[in-house]
Amino acid sequence: MRKFNFSAGPAALPEPVLYQAQQELLDWHGLGCSVMEISHRTAEFIAVAERAEQDLRDLLSIPESYKVLFLQGGATAQFAAVPWNLFGSGAKKADYIHSGHWAAKAIKEARRYGEVTVVASSEDRNFRYAPAKDCWQQSAEAAYLHYTPNETIGGVEFDYVPEVDCPLVADMSSSILSRPIPVDKFGVIYAGAQKNMGPSGIAVAIVREDLLHRAMAGIPRGLSWKVAADAGSMDNTPPTFAWYLSGLVFQWLKAQGGVEAMARLADKKSALLYEFLDRSEFFSSPVEKESRSRMNVPFVLADERLHKPFLEAAGEAGLLGLKGHRSVGGMRASLYNAVPLEAVVALVAFLSDFEARRG
Ligand SMILES: *Cc1c(COP(=O)(O)O)cnc(C)c1O
């Protein structure tokens, strides 16, 4: 029996997608083998790849002037790919907004290749909020500004897109496809698939074409957006099964009404949970109200000794993946697109019951 899955990543996938993959697994479209057993150079797989790209373009209204790349190495490889691809012309300087765990990793990696200025940080209040829109200034020679629109571990989400003169780079791993985005305000958007897009093993980068010519000399082939773009993301063998499965998720998203429908659903799901947490005298959200994520909802119990009994009872109630990240403790419910409203209704009912019994 499938349970309600609040895992932060790899995370829940839409049930119809899993059924379709199951149906097609042994004999894909009459080929007599699975889609992961054929060459990525076959006309059949190229059609799968192109359809996935077109569906993603449709979902996010990606302009023609952007390349859509399907890559490996997760978002973490992109932490290095960003400076490697953008520091080639100019001063090797970049601005970063520091909003928590993932921003810190991106900053640390970029510092290996150039000079990073942290133009805004929410460290003063322990990363419980997103730095405000007008509280910082871009540096003079920045090759780009990097930020993390949704901090998956802290549960902090920006409710605005930074306005800058240099290319804006965003790590959208945990919020891509959860709402419409003005792609033309960005130079580069990247995301690992395993939160809101598909299985692990594939990442997407959406890169404005003029930024394909700014790489540092000696860039490793596997990190080069230009190489990937010129080869249709097939310079080497791509993760074909993850690409195919992400494509099924894109088709499912379109059938659900696209990212507008996902945005409405995300608002509804997260509001239901935050309203409960704010009413509760036992559970609470550590994140400041204006910056609360619609995707990842960390919460704490008034009594830490109940952590273990809480997780055990949740497991028995059919609620999976509620343990918070090891770096911060507490609990976290991730409410990605594939998590249905009923799952959140069941979670709130469980929390309410647990509070009545143990709170
Ligand atoms: C999960 C996550 C990452 C790391 O992704 P990998 O694919 O494991 O490299 C980076 N940034 C954000 C915002 C994430 O949520």
Side-chain angles (χ1 to χ4, degrees), residues 175-219:
S175 55
I176 194 163
L177 293 167
S178 69
R179 57 160 48 140
I181 41 169
V183 174
D184 59 358
K185 292 202 166 174
F186 295 85
V188 181
I189 293 167
Y190 65 90
Q194 69 273 18
K195 277 53 181 264
N196 215 14
M197 206 152 47
S200 61
I202 196 162
V204 161
I206 301 165
V207 183
R208 211 174 64 211
E209 266 169 14
D210 61 296
L211 300 177
L212 294 172
H213 306 283
R214 299 191 183 183
M216 290 195 285
I219 181 172

Short mmCIF file of all heavy atoms in Angstrom, two decimals, residues 175-219:
data_model
loop_
_atom_site.label_atom_id
_atom_site.label_comp_id
_atom_site.label_asym_id
_atom_site.label_seq_id
_atom_site.Cartn_x
_atom_site.Cartn_y
_atom_site.Cartn_z
N SER A 175 12.04 24.31 -5.63
CA SER A 175 10.83 25.09 -5.89
C SER A 175 10.47 25.18 -7.37
O SER A 175 9.40 25.69 -7.71
CB SER A 175 10.96 26.50 -5.30
OG SER A 175 12.13 27.13 -5.79
N ILE A 176 11.33 24.67 -8.25
CA ILE A 176 11.02 24.73 -9.68
C ILE A 176 9.69 24.04 -9.94
O ILE A 176 9.34 23.05 -9.28
CB ILE A 176 12.17 24.09 -10.51
CG1 ILE A 176 12.02 24.47 -11.99
CG2 ILE A 176 12.24 22.57 -10.32
CD1 ILE A 176 13.29 24.26 -12.81
N LEU A 177 8.92 24.57 -10.86
CA LEU A 177 7.62 24.00 -11.26
C LEU A 177 6.54 24.10 -10.18
O LEU A 177 5.49 23.48 -10.30
CB LEU A 177 7.78 22.53 -11.71
CG LEU A 177 8.59 22.31 -12.99
CD1 LEU A 177 8.96 20.84 -13.17
CD2 LEU A 177 7.83 22.81 -14.21
N SER A 178 6.80 24.89 -9.14
CA SER A 178 5.77 25.05 -8.11
C SER A 178 4.97 26.34 -8.32
O SER A 178 4.01 26.59 -7.60
CB SER A 178 6.40 25.06 -6.71
OG SER A 178 7.15 26.24 -6.51
N ARG A 179 5.37 27.14 -9.28
CA ARG A 179 4.66 28.40 -9.58
C ARG A 179 5.23 28.94 -10.89
O ARG A 179 6.33 28.56 -11.30
CB ARG A 179 4.87 29.42 -8.47
CG ARG A 179 6.32 29.75 -8.19
CD ARG A 179 6.54 31.07 -7.45
NE ARG A 179 5.71 31.25 -6.29
CZ ARG A 179 6.13 31.80 -5.15
NH1 ARG A 179 7.39 32.18 -5.03
NH2 ARG A 179 5.31 31.98 -4.15
N PRO A 180 4.49 29.83 -11.55
CA PRO A 180 5.06 30.46 -12.77
C PRO A 180 6.26 31.31 -12.37
O PRO A 180 6.27 31.90 -11.28
CB PRO A 180 3.91 31.35 -13.26
CG PRO A 180 2.67 30.87 -12.57
CD PRO A 180 3.12 30.30 -11.26
N ILE A 181 7.27 31.37 -13.22
CA ILE A 181 8.41 32.25 -12.95
C ILE A 181 8.74 33.08 -14.19
O ILE A 181 8.59 32.60 -15.31
CB ILE A 181 9.68 31.45 -12.54
CG1 ILE A 181 9.85 30.18 -13.38
CG2 ILE A 181 9.71 31.13 -11.06
CD1 ILE A 181 11.18 29.51 -13.23
N PRO A 182 9.17 34.32 -13.98
CA PRO A 182 9.55 35.16 -15.12
C PRO A 182 10.95 34.78 -15.58
O PRO A 182 11.94 35.40 -15.19
CB PRO A 182 9.52 36.58 -14.53
CG PRO A 182 9.81 36.39 -13.06
CD PRO A 182 9.33 35.01 -12.69
N VAL A 183 11.04 33.76 -16.43
CA VAL A 183 12.35 33.21 -16.82
C VAL A 183 13.26 34.31 -17.38
O VAL A 183 14.47 34.31 -17.13
CB VAL A 183 12.18 32.07 -17.85
CG1 VAL A 183 13.53 31.59 -18.37
CG2 VAL A 183 11.43 30.90 -17.22
N ASP A 184 12.67 35.27 -18.08
CA ASP A 184 13.53 36.29 -18.72
C ASP A 184 14.23 37.21 -17.72
O ASP A 184 15.10 37.99 -18.10
CB ASP A 184 12.75 37.09 -19.76
CG ASP A 184 11.54 37.79 -19.17
OD1 ASP A 184 11.28 37.63 -17.96
OD2 ASP A 184 10.84 38.50 -19.92
N LYS A 185 13.87 37.13 -16.45
CA LYS A 185 14.62 37.90 -15.44
C LYS A 185 15.88 37.18 -14.98
O LYS A 185 16.68 37.73 -14.21
CB LYS A 185 13.74 38.16 -14.21
CG LYS A 185 12.60 39.10 -14.50
CD LYS A 185 12.11 39.74 -13.21
CE LYS A 185 11.22 40.91 -13.58
NZ LYS A 185 10.57 41.51 -12.45
N PHE A 186 16.03 35.95 -15.41
CA PHE A 186 17.16 35.14 -14.95
C PHE A 186 18.18 34.93 -16.07
O PHE A 186 17.82 34.87 -17.25
CB PHE A 186 16.67 33.75 -14.49
CG PHE A 186 15.77 33.79 -13.28
CD1 PHE A 186 14.41 34.03 -13.42
CD2 PHE A 186 16.30 33.62 -12.01
CE1 PHE A 186 13.58 34.08 -12.30
CE2 PHE A 186 15.48 33.67 -10.88
CZ PHE A 186 14.12 33.90 -11.03
N GLY A 187 19.46 34.82 -15.66
CA GLY A 187 20.48 34.40 -16.61
C GLY A 187 20.52 32.89 -16.66
O GLY A 187 20.55 32.27 -17.72
N VAL A 188 20.50 32.28 -15.46
CA VAL A 188 20.59 30.83 -15.34
C VAL A 188 19.67 30.35 -14.21
O VAL A 188 19.66 30.95 -13.13
CB VAL A 188 22.04 30.38 -15.00
CG1 VAL A 188 22.13 28.86 -14.90
CG2 VAL A 188 23.04 30.91 -16.03
N ILE A 189 18.93 29.31 -14.49
CA ILE A 189 18.14 28.62 -13.45
C ILE A 189 18.60 27.17 -13.48
O ILE A 189 18.71 26.58 -14.54
CB ILE A 189 16.64 28.68 -13.79
CG1 ILE A 189 16.12 30.13 -13.70
CG2 ILE A 189 15.83 27.76 -12.87
CD1 ILE A 189 14.73 30.30 -14.32
N TYR A 190 18.91 26.62 -12.30
CA TYR A 190 19.25 25.19 -12.31
C TYR A 190 18.54 24.49 -11.16
O TYR A 190 18.12 25.12 -10.19
CB TYR A 190 20.77 24.97 -12.25
CG TYR A 190 21.44 25.43 -10.98
CD1 TYR A 190 21.59 24.56 -9.90
CD2 TYR A 190 21.95 26.72 -10.86
CE1 TYR A 190 22.22 24.97 -8.73
CE2 TYR A 190 22.58 27.14 -9.70
CZ TYR A 190 22.72 26.26 -8.63
OH TYR A 190 23.33 26.67 -7.48
N ALA A 191 18.41 23.17 -11.30
CA ALA A 191 17.70 22.39 -10.28
C ALA A 191 18.04 20.92 -10.42
O ALA A 191 18.06 20.38 -11.53
CB ALA A 191 16.18 22.58 -10.44
N GLY A 192 18.29 20.27 -9.30
CA GLY A 192 18.33 18.81 -9.28
C GLY A 192 16.89 18.33 -9.41
O GLY A 192 15.97 18.98 -8.93
N ALA A 193 16.70 17.18 -10.05
CA ALA A 193 15.32 16.75 -10.34
C ALA A 193 14.59 16.18 -9.14
O ALA A 193 13.37 16.21 -9.08
CB ALA A 193 15.34 15.71 -11.46
N GLN A 194 15.32 15.64 -8.18
CA GLN A 194 14.71 14.72 -7.21
C GLN A 194 13.81 15.35 -6.15
O GLN A 194 13.31 14.65 -5.29
CB GLN A 194 15.80 13.89 -6.53
CG GLN A 194 16.70 14.64 -5.59
CD GLN A 194 17.89 15.30 -6.26
OE1 GLN A 194 17.90 15.49 -7.46
NE2 GLN A 194 18.90 15.68 -5.51
N LYS A 195 13.61 16.67 -6.22
CA LYS A 195 12.65 17.29 -5.31
C LYS A 195 11.30 17.42 -6.01
O LYS A 195 10.34 16.79 -5.63
CB LYS A 195 13.13 18.67 -4.86
CG LYS A 195 14.13 18.74 -3.71
CD LYS A 195 15.35 17.91 -3.85
CE LYS A 195 16.32 17.97 -2.71
NZ LYS A 195 17.42 18.91 -2.84
N ASN A 196 11.28 18.25 -7.06
CA ASN A 196 9.97 18.58 -7.63
C ASN A 196 9.84 18.25 -9.11
O ASN A 196 8.95 18.74 -9.77
CB ASN A 196 9.71 20.08 -7.42
CG ASN A 196 8.24 20.36 -7.16
OD1 ASN A 196 7.47 19.44 -6.89
ND2 ASN A 196 7.86 21.60 -7.27
N MET A 197 10.73 17.39 -9.63
CA MET A 197 10.75 17.22 -11.07
C MET A 197 10.79 15.75 -11.51
O MET A 197 10.24 15.41 -12.55
CB MET A 197 11.99 17.95 -11.60
CG MET A 197 11.92 18.42 -13.01
SD MET A 197 12.93 19.89 -13.33
CE MET A 197 14.49 19.50 -12.58
N GLY A 198 11.45 14.90 -10.77
CA GLY A 198 11.59 13.52 -11.22
C GLY A 198 12.43 12.73 -10.23
O GLY A 198 12.49 13.07 -9.05
N PRO A 199 13.10 11.68 -10.71
CA PRO A 199 13.97 10.91 -9.80
C PRO A 199 15.34 11.56 -9.69
O PRO A 199 15.66 12.48 -10.45
CB PRO A 199 14.08 9.56 -10.51
CG PRO A 199 13.97 9.89 -11.96
CD PRO A 199 13.09 11.12 -12.07
N SER A 200 16.18 11.09 -8.80
CA SER A 200 17.54 11.62 -8.71
C SER A 200 18.34 11.14 -9.92
O SER A 200 17.92 10.23 -10.64
CB SER A 200 18.21 11.16 -7.42
OG SER A 200 18.28 9.76 -7.39
N GLY A 201 19.48 11.78 -10.15
CA GLY A 201 20.34 11.35 -11.25
C GLY A 201 20.32 12.28 -12.44
O GLY A 201 21.09 12.13 -13.37
N ILE A 202 19.44 13.28 -12.41
CA ILE A 202 19.41 14.25 -13.50
C ILE A 202 19.16 15.64 -12.92
O ILE A 202 18.53 15.77 -11.87
CB ILE A 202 18.33 13.86 -14.56
CG1 ILE A 202 18.56 14.62 -15.88
CG2 ILE A 202 16.93 14.05 -14.04
CD1 ILE A 202 17.86 14.00 -17.08
N ALA A 203 19.72 16.62 -13.58
CA ALA A 203 19.51 18.01 -13.18
C ALA A 203 19.22 18.80 -14.45
O ALA A 203 19.58 18.39 -15.55
CB ALA A 203 20.75 18.56 -12.50
N VAL A 204 18.54 19.92 -14.28
CA VAL A 204 18.21 20.77 -15.42
C VAL A 204 18.89 22.12 -15.24
O VAL A 204 18.94 22.64 -14.12
CB VAL A 204 16.67 20.94 -15.52
CG1 VAL A 204 16.31 22.14 -16.37
CG2 VAL A 204 16.03 19.68 -16.09
N ALA A 205 19.45 22.66 -16.31
CA ALA A 205 19.91 24.05 -16.29
C ALA A 205 19.25 24.78 -17.46
O ALA A 205 19.21 24.26 -18.58
CB ALA A 205 21.43 24.12 -16.39
N ILE A 206 18.71 25.93 -17.17
CA ILE A 206 18.08 26.78 -18.18
C ILE A 206 19.00 27.99 -18.31
O ILE A 206 19.14 28.77 -17.36
CB ILE A 206 16.66 27.18 -17.73
CG1 ILE A 206 15.80 25.92 -17.50
CG2 ILE A 206 16.01 28.11 -18.76
CD1 ILE A 206 14.52 26.18 -16.71
N VAL A 207 19.67 28.12 -19.45
CA VAL A 207 20.76 29.09 -19.58
C VAL A 207 20.49 30.04 -20.73
O VAL A 207 20.24 29.59 -21.87
CB VAL A 207 22.10 28.36 -19.84
CG1 VAL A 207 23.25 29.35 -19.90
CG2 VAL A 207 22.37 27.29 -18.78
N ARG A 208 20.54 31.34 -20.46
CA ARG A 208 20.39 32.34 -21.53
C ARG A 208 21.55 32.20 -22.50
O ARG A 208 22.71 32.12 -22.08
CB ARG A 208 20.35 33.74 -20.92
CG ARG A 208 19.51 34.73 -21.72
CD ARG A 208 19.40 36.05 -21.00
NE ARG A 208 20.72 36.66 -20.90
CZ ARG A 208 21.11 37.44 -19.89
NH1 ARG A 208 20.30 37.70 -18.89
NH2 ARG A 208 22.32 37.95 -19.89
N GLU A 209 21.25 32.18 -23.78
CA GLU A 209 22.26 31.80 -24.78
C GLU A 209 23.52 32.64 -24.74
O GLU A 209 24.62 32.11 -24.94
CB GLU A 209 21.64 31.85 -26.18
CG GLU A 209 21.13 30.49 -26.61
CD GLU A 209 20.29 30.55 -27.89
OE1 GLU A 209 20.31 31.59 -28.57
OE2 GLU A 209 19.61 29.56 -28.14
N ASP A 210 23.39 33.93 -24.49
CA ASP A 210 24.60 34.77 -24.53
C ASP A 210 25.56 34.42 -23.40
O ASP A 210 26.73 34.83 -23.43
CB ASP A 210 24.22 36.26 -24.46
CG ASP A 210 23.49 36.59 -23.17
OD1 ASP A 210 22.38 36.07 -22.95
OD2 ASP A 210 24.05 37.35 -22.37
N LEU A 211 25.10 33.66 -22.41
CA LEU A 211 25.98 33.29 -21.29
C LEU A 211 26.77 32.01 -21.57
O LEU A 211 27.54 31.56 -20.72
CB LEU A 211 25.16 33.12 -20.00
CG LEU A 211 24.40 34.38 -19.58
CD1 LEU A 211 23.56 34.12 -18.34
CD2 LEU A 211 25.38 35.54 -19.31
N LEU A 212 26.60 31.46 -22.76
CA LEU A 212 27.33 30.23 -23.09
C LEU A 212 28.76 30.52 -23.53
O LEU A 212 29.52 29.60 -23.83
CB LEU A 212 26.60 29.48 -24.23
CG LEU A 212 25.23 28.91 -23.89
CD1 LEU A 212 24.55 28.37 -25.14
CD2 LEU A 212 25.33 27.81 -22.83
N HIS A 213 29.13 31.79 -23.56
CA HIS A 213 30.45 32.15 -24.10
C HIS A 213 31.33 32.82 -23.05
O HIS A 213 32.18 33.63 -23.38
CB HIS A 213 30.26 33.06 -25.31
CG HIS A 213 29.35 32.45 -26.33
ND1 HIS A 213 29.75 31.45 -27.19
CD2 HIS A 213 28.01 32.64 -26.58
CE1 HIS A 213 28.72 31.08 -27.94
NE2 HIS A 213 27.66 31.77 -27.58
N ARG A 214 31.11 32.52 -21.79
CA ARG A 214 31.85 33.20 -20.73
C ARG A 214 32.64 32.23 -19.85
O ARG A 214 32.98 32.55 -18.71
CB ARG A 214 30.88 33.98 -19.84
CG ARG A 214 30.12 35.05 -20.61
CD ARG A 214 29.38 35.97 -19.68
NE ARG A 214 28.60 36.93 -20.47
CZ ARG A 214 27.87 37.91 -19.96
NH1 ARG A 214 27.82 38.06 -18.64
NH2 ARG A 214 27.21 38.73 -20.73
N ALA A 215 32.92 31.04 -20.36
CA ALA A 215 33.56 30.02 -19.52
C ALA A 215 35.05 30.31 -19.31
O ALA A 215 35.72 30.88 -20.17
CB ALA A 215 33.38 28.65 -20.13
N MET A 216 35.56 29.90 -18.15
CA MET A 216 36.99 29.99 -17.88
C MET A 216 37.73 28.98 -18.74
O MET A 216 37.22 27.89 -19.02
CB MET A 216 37.27 29.68 -16.40
CG MET A 216 36.78 30.74 -15.44
SD MET A 216 37.53 30.54 -13.79
CE MET A 216 36.63 29.15 -13.17
N ALA A 217 38.97 29.33 -19.11
CA ALA A 217 39.81 28.40 -19.85
C ALA A 217 40.01 27.14 -19.01
O ALA A 217 40.17 27.24 -17.79
CB ALA A 217 41.15 29.05 -20.18
N GLY A 218 40.02 26.00 -19.64
CA GLY A 218 40.29 24.76 -18.91
C GLY A 218 39.08 24.17 -18.23
O GLY A 218 39.20 23.22 -17.45
N ILE A 219 37.91 24.70 -18.52
CA ILE A 219 36.69 24.16 -17.88
C ILE A 219 36.56 22.65 -18.18
O ILE A 219 36.74 22.23 -19.33
CB ILE A 219 35.44 24.94 -18.37
CG1 ILE A 219 34.16 24.41 -17.68
CG2 ILE A 219 35.28 24.85 -19.89
CD1 ILE A 219 32.92 25.26 -17.98
#
